[in-house]
Amino acid sequence: MEIDLLVLVPLVAILGVFYHFITKGNKYFHDKPIPSLAVEPLFGSTRNLIMKKTAFHDFVISIYNKYPLVKVFGMIDTMTPMFVVRDPELIKRIGVKDFEYFMNHRPVFGNNDDPHNEALFGKTLIAITDQKWRDMRATLSPAFTGSKMRQMFELIVECCSNMAQHYKDEIRKNGASSREHEMKDVFTRYANDVIATCAFGIKVDSLKNTENDFYVNGKKMMAFNRPIVILRMMGFRLVPKLMNYFSLDLFDREQSDFFKAIIRDTVRTRDVNGIVRPDMVHLLMQARKGALKHQREAEDREEVKGFATVEESEVGQAQTSKGMQMSELEMVAQCLIFFLAGFDTVSTCLTFLAYELTVNRDVQDKLYEEIRQTDKALAGGPLTYDAIQGMQYMDMVVSEGLRMWAPAPATDRLCVRDYVVDDGERLKFTIDKGTVVFIPIAGIHHDPQYYPNPSKFDPERFNEENREKINPSTYLPFGIGPRNCIGSRFALMEVKAIVYYMLREFSFERTPNTQVPLRLAKGFAGMRSEKGVFVEFRPRQVTST
């Protein structure tokens, strides 16, 4: 009996300490004058998400709709208190006007910027914080101006042309009238090839060489549903200091080493041989030397921008007397985050856009007519940057696709010092330092108050007349404020270019495998369809005009 007690008492004590640790924040919102979601130990308010009973996109919409009359409510994500902000004006204040209070993202996957720590994710632009982030943003921002995108556009067009030709050749060789394809696979391969050439300066063909190293390693890095990755993610949420102490990274060492080796070899080769190529490696090499400055080129001021394009803030436009002392690891990390964003986010956007074009044939036909007219104006020549920027209906279609299926259904900000919310009416409370603000992008995008009949794919929401009525704080596919997506221009031209080339050659048709309506796969790791998005590529019968 004594032995049992000797074992039992410490065990109960340990369990008690553990229970206190995982529940200590569960009553955080009880003293706040706002409603909050129900809480469970360890899961917080997110059991359905963690247990894969709902998709992240659907989860965001469901919690957003929980309290339709409030501006903000509370939620516990595992152990972290989060203020879910529904009000566009408060979102604008937090994301833009009072940015100094909310400068950082929540450190979900670690933010260890120790130069001796080999973990890459913590050194990416999305993870670094405070002044280090300011310096990096100002250093990288000049690489994403319209003029720099113009220089890269030829590389993207080459990938688009190769892809369209591949599928034409495939149909011809098989003697078929058309061919069914799964869109996520198709566009992941396209995005892989674009980012390989534009970010890493390496040409790969993921359609012919289906298991190339770039594609295989990218797929492994984005497989967030693997048990080991889920454990790491939980580790960064529960014991982030311990994870950083052991230099643990979100990514497997094998994949990290692969990308480190590529960048190091590329930089070394270019330095030795004086090679210049209009891609991200070259721009980062310039930035590292302090040769890349933010200039207001006339062509950038006059450029026709897409509705979804975000403007760079004063942080990004800040001039520095010398380049940021960017280490080799930091340079690799920036290339890596560009790769992952291109690999997954762009392919996700294109997958859902292809679905909407397939099931909304009137939209597809109208877009094809604009493509045909643009092609005629180019006399059958390659697509140009100015031509794609001038396609109004294309921009409307892509803007609506990003509204309905925002690849990032939510974003967040970490409160870095106490912030008082006071709407001048009845709402007054403090967002405490160390808590998180959660911005439910998908919920806002599907709110009929801002977008009537939100489940309908309607590009006319973004025509010249209607777009003027849209509150910018209710359209956030690339985030808001100084920490918005630095690569919005790149992503948009990448999406528009491949839609142009594929729709010019093929019509998108339903097949028996096309799931209508589309249902999303459950879980929080990435937005994807439940059963894939299957579309038939049917070659167009082009008639002379």
Side-chain angles (χ1 to χ4, degrees), residues 148-343:
K148 298 299 188 299
M149 296 302 100
R150 190 184 302 273
Q151 294 170 22
M152 284 191 204
F153 193 65
E154 287 185 15
L155 301 175
I156 291 178
V157 165
E158 184 180 354
C159 292
C160 294
S161 181
N162 288 345
M163 180 171 165
Q165 189 61 49
H166 170 85
Y167 288 117
K168 285 173 68 177
D169 293 344
E170 180 186 65
I171 290 172
R172 186 169 56 248
K173 287 177 184 176
N174 292 317
S177 59
S178 62
R179 189 79 182 270
E180 179 188 68
H181 295 279
E182 201 285 305
M183 293 297 95
K184 181 64 174 177
D185 180 70
V186 166
F187 291 123
T188 299
R189 294 182 184 280
Y190 161 70
N192 180 71
D193 291 0
V194 167
I195 210 71
T197 188
C198 289
F200 292 82
I202 294 173
K203 287 189 178 183
V204 296
D205 189 335
S206 300
L207 295 169
K208 292 180 180 176
N209 182 10
T210 57
E211 295 300 307
N212 66 79
D213 288 343
F214 249 90
Y215 182 77
V216 169
N217 281 285
K219 288 280 283 185
K220 287 179 180 177
M221 292 188 100
M222 295 309 299
F224 291 134
N225 57 346
R226 289 183 297 150
I228 184 64
V229 179
I230 292 173
L231 281 174
R232 288 177 195 152
M233 291 169 76
M234 292 301 293
F236 279 118
R237 288 189 177 198
L238 299 174
V239 285
K241 291 182 180 179
L242 190 64
M243 298 291 285
N244 286 331
Y245 177 79
F246 287 107
S247 298
L248 294 172
D249 199 0
L250 180 65
F251 309 119
D252 292 345
R253 182 175 294 277
E254 179 187 353
Q255 279 74 58
S256 295
D257 289 346
F258 171 78
F259 287 106
K260 287 175 189 175
I262 285 177
I263 294 296
R264 286 167 175 161
D265 291 347
T266 301
V267 170
R268 192 177 302 115
T269 301
R270 292 188 185 188
D271 274 337
V272 171
N273 299 305
I275 297 171
V276 175
R277 191 173 183 272
D279 57 24
M280 199 58 62
V281 170
H282 174 66
L283 293 172
L284 284 172
M285 289 172 69
Q286 284 188 300
R288 217 175 154 191
K289 296 172 184 175
L292 197 60
K293 300 295 182 184
H294 206 296
Q295 299 174 338
R296 284 285 193 174
E297 295 105 327
E299 59 186 270
D300 282 346
R301 289 194 296 268
E302 297 169 4
E303 177 192 350
V304 178
K305 300 179 181 69
F307 182 82
T309 307
V310 292
E311 294 293 337
E312 188 56 87
S313 71
E314 292 180 2
V315 173
Q317 295 175 18
Q319 299 290 342
T320 53
S321 59
K322 60 180 181 177
M324 178 185 178
Q325 298 303 303
M326 195 188 308
S327 70
E328 188 178 64
L329 269 178
E330 288 171 334
M331 187 172 170
V332 173
Q334 306 326 313
C335 276
L336 179 61
I337 202 67
F338 299 152
F339 173 76
L340 295 176
F343 191 86

Side-chain angles (χ1 to χ4, degrees), residues 491-506:
L492 288 169
M493 73 175 181
E494 186 180 352
V495 167
K496 292 176 181 179
I498 192 59
V499 169
Y500 175 94
Y501 273 90
M502 291 302 289
L503 277 188
R504 189 182 69 168
E505 302 297 338
F506 307 97

